[in-house]
Amino acid sequence: MILSAKWVLPVNKKPIEDASVVIENGVIKDVGKTAEIKKKYKQVSETDFGLAAIMPGLIDCHTHLEYSVFRGVCDDLPFGLWKIQQQEKSSALSKKDWRASADLGAQEALRSGITTIADVTDTGASMEAAIKAGLRGIIFYELSSLKYDSKIMDRAAKQIEEWQKKSKESLLEIGISPHGSYTTAPRLLREASEYAIDKDLLSCIHVSGSDDEYQFVKYGSGPLAHEFKDLSGWKDVLWQPMGTSPVKYLDQWDVFKGKTIAVHCIHVDQEDLDILQKNDVSVAHCPMCAAKLGMGVAPLTSIKQRKLRLGIGSDSPATSNVMDLFEEMRLGLLLQRAVNYSTQGLAAKDFLHLATLGGAQALGLEKEIGTLAEGKKADVVVVDLSQSYQQPLSEPYSAIVYTCSSADVMMTMIEGKILFQKDEQEQLDEKIRSQVSDIRLKLTQG
């Protein structure tokens, strides 16, 4: 098939005006000017999207599909209190509830132009929903306990093996995720890292996301040291203040030795970034989540100067309310300019790179996805550029980052298969809508 539009954004090359993408057997066969493509492939059917942009599928470098039903439940709270509320309310949900919530998230991802996810889950609901939806990605088995028990890692290994079997025929890979410095016992952190290295798995961990985390690790104080710790059943665990940053603490326990994605990295100094660079760690940047919970703004300029692999994530509707990487790109860029008092260094095309090729590089998938190039998997998104708030149009990167939202997505394709098409799949599945409405009552009235 041939997909044509006013603009094609390969990402690894300059935008092409009046261009087309040729797809065959789930793979990109050719990219070029429409007139030339039509001459070359006369017998291939064409779909012309008009005033639109064809670009690589968006890559959500950090999310939790199963938290989608928490949208708006714990609004307007700082991180520590949000975490406590979310933990308390989670206990009301059944396995069936988590799955329905993950199904909602998977559908939102496709409608938002997201083709690849890096999802962290301890229930497996996200994996099942992603398989059903046809999403590509890495599903991380999450483990957390400040109270060390050797059986935790044994259970994790068994669960990962089961997930690998279940996902064998899908577009998913399985990884491991020790949750973070304030939720995972030191020995468990090291065991998870050793397991990941031994099994050649990608590892994911929340790192220096909030001042609450920083205060807990370094000084043993704050809401995470008391109410959250007690709520999690770790009241009897003696936590010795480490007197150092979360990054340095995690490094002491060999967390970064294997292939690792560090999520957030907001409260980091130059020494912390040196450690991440030394260990070749990737970073997942979640600007909307961080802004909404008052966590801070990540030092992207310093991160990019060290040439760390960097992608962008939505975190989940539980924090940012939407899975909209267009909004993440826009807010992420504007926040960087605001805190740095400068428009220099980061531009719209840089953030589109983060949401596509940058994410692919962070996940180790750049040979398969992230650009529109011959031989790559046909993970493709078409974005409408014809609306009044996008006109007049002269620069496509600017239009995508400064004017678009998930509502502008016209089509989402994964490996040559159309999984969302506007006007044909506008409405949410009524079964999912009914299920999540019932779950919301549990969360708000329980």
Side-chain angles (χ1 to χ4, degrees):
M1 73 177 74
I2 297 174
L3 305 179
S4 302
K6 179 63 176 177
W7 292 99
V8 168
L9 308 182
V11 172
N12 62 329
K13 296 180 180 179
K14 291 182 179 180
I16 310 171
E17 192 171 2
D18 298 320
S20 300
V21 179
V22 183
I23 296 166
E24 184 176 276
N25 298 323
V27 174
I28 296 171
K29 187 175 182 178
D30 206 348
V31 180
K33 286 280 193 178
T34 298
E36 297 171 4
I37 291 291
K38 282 185 175 182
K39 288 181 182 179
K40 195 172 178 181
Y41 302 94
K42 294 180 180 179
Q43 304 303 315
V44 181
S45 62
E46 178 196 18
T47 300
D48 190 341
F49 290 93
L51 187 48
I54 301 172
M55 52 186 254
L58 299 174
I59 298 173
D60 193 336
C61 241
H62 180 67
T63 192
H64 305 265
L65 294 182
E66 62 192 29
Y67 286 166
S68 297
V69 78
F70 283 84
R71 189 191 325 268
V73 171
C74 302
D75 276 351
D76 305 319
L77 295 174
F79 175 77
L81 295 180
W82 173 86
K83 188 67 180 175
I84 290 167
Q85 286 285 311
Q86 191 266 338
Q87 181 93 340
E88 286 180 333
K89 293 179 181 298
S90 291
S91 62
L93 302 192
S94 67
K95 184 177 181 180
K96 184 179 178 182
D97 293 337
W98 287 115
R99 173 59 195 275
S101 183
D103 283 335
L104 175 66
Q107 290 305 305
E108 183 176 357
L110 291 175
R111 284 163 167 74
S112 301
I114 295 168
T115 56
T116 299
I117 58 171
D119 189 281
V120 178
T121 171
D122 63 354
T123 70
S126 294
M127 178 191 69
E128 294 168 356
I131 291 173
K132 179 183 176 183
L135 285 162
R136 187 186 305 280
I138 300 176
I139 305 295
F140 295 93
Y141 175 80
E142 184 177 61
L143 61 156
S144 64
S145 178
L146 275 182
K147 188 181 296 184
Y148 177 76
D149 184 341
S150 61
K151 294 179 181 178
I152 295 175
M153 195 60 236
D154 292 337
R155 287 196 297 269
K158 182 178 179 181
Q159 194 69 72
I160 288 170
E161 289 177 9
E162 289 180 5
W163 287 9
Q164 287 173 328
K165 291 177 182 177
K166 286 183 179 180
S167 62
K168 191 175 182 180
E169 302 302 319
S170 73
L171 300 178
L172 301 177
E173 298 176 19
I174 306 300
I176 188 169
S177 177
H179 177 269
S181 58
Y182 63 96
T183 57
T184 315
R187 285 178 63 188
L188 194 53
L189 288 169
R190 177 170 284 163
E191 287 179 4
S193 177
E194 291 172 346
Y195 177 82
I197 293 170
D198 181 58
K199 300 296 182 180
D200 194 28
L201 302 180
L202 187 61
S203 180
C204 174
I205 185 167
H206 300 83
V207 180
S208 293
S210 68
D211 185 59
D212 289 334
E213 177 188 351
Y214 191 92
Q215 295 297 322
F216 175 76
V217 173
K218 190 167 185 175
Y219 304 112
S221 62
L224 298 179
H226 303 292
E227 190 175 351
F228 175 73
K229 187 164 163 279
D230 295 349
L231 181 65
S232 301
W234 305 325
K235 188 174 184 178
D236 59 339
V237 176
L238 179 63
W239 177 262
Q240 289 288 100
M242 299 299 160
T244 191
S245 72
V247 170
K248 295 182 183 72
Y249 162 64
L250 293 172
D251 187 46
Q252 291 168 3
W253 288 94
D254 300 331
V255 169
F256 305 125
K257 277 198 169 182
K259 298 179 295 183
T260 308
I261 299 177
V263 181
H264 298 311
C265 296
I266 296 170
H267 296 268
V268 291
D269 58 23
Q270 298 306 312
E271 290 182 0
D272 292 331
L273 293 175
D274 288 341
I275 290 171
L276 298 180
Q277 182 181 32
K278 178 189 70 175
N279 288 282
D280 197 25
V281 173
S282 298
V283 176
H285 177 48
C286 305
M288 285 181 66
C289 161
K292 185 163 182 270
L293 297 181
M295 295 161 65
V297 180
L300 289 200
T301 301
S302 294
I303 291 172
K304 285 182 67 66
Q305 284 174 347
R306 284 171 167 75
K307 301 189 183 304
L308 294 171
R309 291 180 299 276
L310 180 64
I312 201 163
S314 66
D315 205 299
S316 83
T319 54
S320 53
N321 290 65
V322 291
M323 292 179 67
D324 189 334
L325 292 195
F326 297 96
E327 295 281 2
E328 298 284 355
M329 286 187 276
R330 178 161 53 253
L331 181 63
L333 176 53
L334 296 180
L335 284 174
Q336 291 298 315
R337 291 183 171 183
V339 298
N340 292 318
Y341 298 94
S342 174
T343 60
Q344 303 302 307
L346 289 166
K349 66 178 181 179
D350 297 311
F351 272 79
L352 184 60
H353 180 279
L354 294 188
T356 52
L357 181 56
Q361 291 168 337
L363 299 178
L365 299 175
E366 68 273 18
K367 291 183 179 179
E368 297 182 56
I369 57 173
T371 62
L372 298 182
E374 184 180 345
K376 290 283 188 80
K377 301 293 186 183
D379 290 9
V380 179
V381 172
V382 180
V383 184
D384 186 12
L385 298 178
S386 69
Q387 301 303 313
S388 60
Y389 49 83
Q390 298 165 325
Q391 299 302 311
L393 170 65
S394 59
E395 209 293 306
Y397 286 133
S398 173
I400 291 292
V401 174
Y402 291 128
T403 75
C404 288
S405 72
S406 60
D408 294 305
V409 172
M410 301 173 73
M411 187 271 283
T412 303
M413 169 187 288
I414 299 179
E415 207 155 297
K417 183 177 180 181
I418 296 173
L419 297 179
F420 170 72
Q421 189 134 18
K422 200 166 187 176
D423 299 327
E424 293 182 11
Q425 296 163 281
E426 287 285 347
Q427 300 301 316
L428 177 65
D429 182 281
E430 193 55 42
K431 182 180 178 182
I432 296 177
R433 187 192 306 277
S434 177
Q435 286 176 320
V436 297
S437 295
D438 291 342
I439 298 168
R440 173 54 62 91
L441 291 177
K442 288 185 180 183
L443 295 175
T444 57
Q445 298 180 6

